[in-house]
Amino acid sequence: MNTVALVKDILIDALQLSNDTPIDSETALLGSIPEFDSMAVVTVLTAIEDSFGIEIDDDEISAEVFENFGTLCGFVEQKI
Protein backbone atom coordinates (compact mmCIF):
# COMPACT_ATOMS: atom_id res chain seq x y z
CA MET A 1 0.00 0.00 0.00
CA ASN A 2 1.42 3.38 -1.01
CA THR A 3 0.36 5.60 1.87
CA VAL A 4 1.62 8.84 0.34
CA ALA A 5 -0.19 8.32 -2.96
CA LEU A 6 -3.44 7.37 -1.23
CA VAL A 7 -3.34 10.37 1.13
CA LYS A 8 -2.64 12.61 -1.87
CA ASP A 9 -5.64 11.16 -3.70
CA ILE A 10 -7.79 11.73 -0.61
CA LEU A 11 -6.71 15.39 -0.41
CA ILE A 12 -7.29 16.00 -4.11
CA ASP A 13 -10.74 14.45 -3.90
CA ALA A 14 -11.78 16.12 -0.62
CA LEU A 15 -10.55 19.56 -1.66
CA GLN A 16 -11.71 19.15 -5.27
CA LEU A 17 -8.26 20.03 -6.58
CA SER A 18 -6.93 19.29 -10.04
CA ASN A 19 -5.24 15.90 -10.36
CA ASP A 20 -2.06 17.62 -11.51
CA THR A 21 -1.88 19.87 -8.44
CA PRO A 22 1.71 19.65 -7.19
CA ILE A 23 1.73 18.17 -3.69
CA ASP A 24 4.92 17.07 -1.95
CA SER A 25 6.03 16.60 1.66
CA GLU A 26 6.63 20.33 2.12
CA THR A 27 3.27 21.46 0.71
CA ALA A 28 1.62 23.56 3.43
CA LEU A 29 -1.99 22.64 4.19
CA LEU A 30 -3.83 24.58 6.91
CA GLY A 31 -3.89 28.27 6.13
CA SER A 32 -2.31 27.79 2.71
CA ILE A 33 -4.99 26.03 0.69
CA PRO A 34 -8.22 28.08 0.76
CA GLU A 35 -10.37 24.97 0.30
CA PHE A 36 -8.82 23.33 3.39
CA ASP A 37 -11.28 24.52 6.02
CA SER A 38 -12.70 22.79 9.10
CA MET A 39 -15.22 20.83 7.05
CA ALA A 40 -12.45 19.66 4.73
CA VAL A 41 -10.46 18.46 7.75
CA VAL A 42 -13.40 16.30 8.83
CA THR A 43 -13.84 14.99 5.28
CA VAL A 44 -10.14 14.15 4.98
CA LEU A 45 -10.05 12.42 8.36
CA THR A 46 -13.14 10.35 7.56
CA ALA A 47 -11.70 9.32 4.20
CA ILE A 48 -8.39 8.37 5.85
CA GLU A 49 -10.21 6.27 8.45
CA ASP A 50 -12.23 4.51 5.75
CA SER A 51 -9.34 3.99 3.34
CA PHE A 52 -6.85 2.69 5.89
CA GLY A 53 -9.26 0.97 8.29
CA ILE A 54 -8.08 3.00 11.26
CA GLU A 55 -9.78 5.06 13.95
CA ILE A 56 -8.59 8.55 14.76
CA ASP A 57 -9.50 9.93 18.17
CA ASP A 58 -10.36 13.61 18.55
CA ASP A 59 -7.47 14.15 20.97
CA GLU A 60 -5.00 12.99 18.31
CA ILE A 61 -5.87 15.85 15.97
CA SER A 62 -3.92 19.08 16.14
CA ALA A 63 -2.80 21.83 13.82
CA GLU A 64 0.64 20.18 13.71
CA VAL A 65 -0.85 17.11 11.98
CA PHE A 66 -2.09 19.36 9.17
CA GLU A 67 0.94 21.65 9.03
CA ASN A 68 2.05 20.17 5.72
CA PHE A 69 1.54 17.11 3.56
CA GLY A 70 4.55 15.37 5.09
CA THR A 71 3.26 15.70 8.65
CA LEU A 72 -0.15 14.39 7.59
CA CYS A 73 1.41 11.36 5.86
CA GLY A 74 3.62 10.76 8.88
CA PHE A 75 0.59 10.78 11.14
CA VAL A 76 -1.23 8.28 8.92
CA GLU A 77 1.80 5.99 8.70
CA GLN A 78 2.08 6.07 12.48
CA LYS A 79 -1.56 4.97 12.79
CA ILE A 80 -1.40 2.01 10.38
Side-chain angles (χ1 to χ4, degrees):
M1 170 181 354
N2 187 341
T3 305
V4 173
L6 187 50
V7 172
K8 181 178 178 180
D9 288 344
I10 289 169
L11 277 179
I12 287 172
D13 186 51
L15 303 178
Q16 299 177 348
L17 301 173
S18 169
N19 283 335
D20 60 353
T21 299
I23 297 177
D24 63 29
S25 63
E26 298 300 316
T27 301
L29 299 177
L30 277 181
S32 297
I33 300 175
E35 297 87 357
F36 205 47
D37 59 12
S38 59
M39 289 304 297
V41 168
V42 172
T43 301
V44 167
L45 290 174
T46 301
I48 287 171
E49 287 179 325
D50 292 345
S51 297
F52 291 97
I54 59 176
E55 186 173 315
I56 301 171
D57 296 324
D58 290 344
D59 62 344
E60 295 178 289
I61 302 307
S62 66
E64 288 80 26
V65 170
F66 292 98
E67 183 177 341
N68 61 46
F69 183 66
T71 57
L72 178 59
C73 289
F75 172 78
V76 172
E77 289 174 347
Q78 190 176 22
K79 293 291 294 177
I80 55 175

